[in-house]
Amino acid sequence: MAKRKVAGKTEILERLTEVMRSEDENVKTSETMKAAELIGKHLGMFGDKNNQSSGIRVVIVDDISNDVQDEE
């Protein structure tokens, strides 16, 4: 069977997981952390918290008439 030239998503995630879980002394801590970071990004763990939609709709209604403001 011919080997594919480009790695697929599953192959890349499997390799990153191997590096992240590695107990091999030749694998640097920075490499395991980078692998964990890339997996986390793929899973959407580090998204912008301000852009996350919670399904709550906020409506601001300006129902204060000018008459009330003039009385003060």
Side-chain angles (χ1 to χ4, degrees):
M1 183 165 115
K3 193 170 185 176
R4 295 185 338 195
K5 291 183 180 182
V6 178
K9 184 196 284 189
T10 301
E11 183 180 357
I12 293 169
L13 288 172
E14 286 173 352
R15 179 64 184 138
L16 287 171
T17 301
E18 288 174 13
V19 171
M20 184 190 74
R21 293 182 177 165
S22 178
E23 294 181 8
D24 185 354
E25 293 177 9
N26 295 326
V27 177
K28 298 176 184 176
T29 302
S30 61
E31 293 172 326
T32 61
M33 294 301 294
K34 183 63 177 184
E37 176 187 356
L38 291 171
I39 293 169
K41 284 182 179 181
H42 171 72
L43 296 174
M45 295 173 65
F46 308 120
D48 183 6
K49 292 182 182 180
N50 293 329
N51 281 339
Q52 292 181 353
S53 175
S54 63
I56 299 173
R57 185 174 164 213
V58 177
V59 178
I60 300 173
V61 178
D62 181 6
D63 61 351
I64 302 173
S65 69
N66 288 335
D67 295 337
V68 174
Q69 291 177 357
D70 291 339
E71 291 176 8
E72 295 177 1

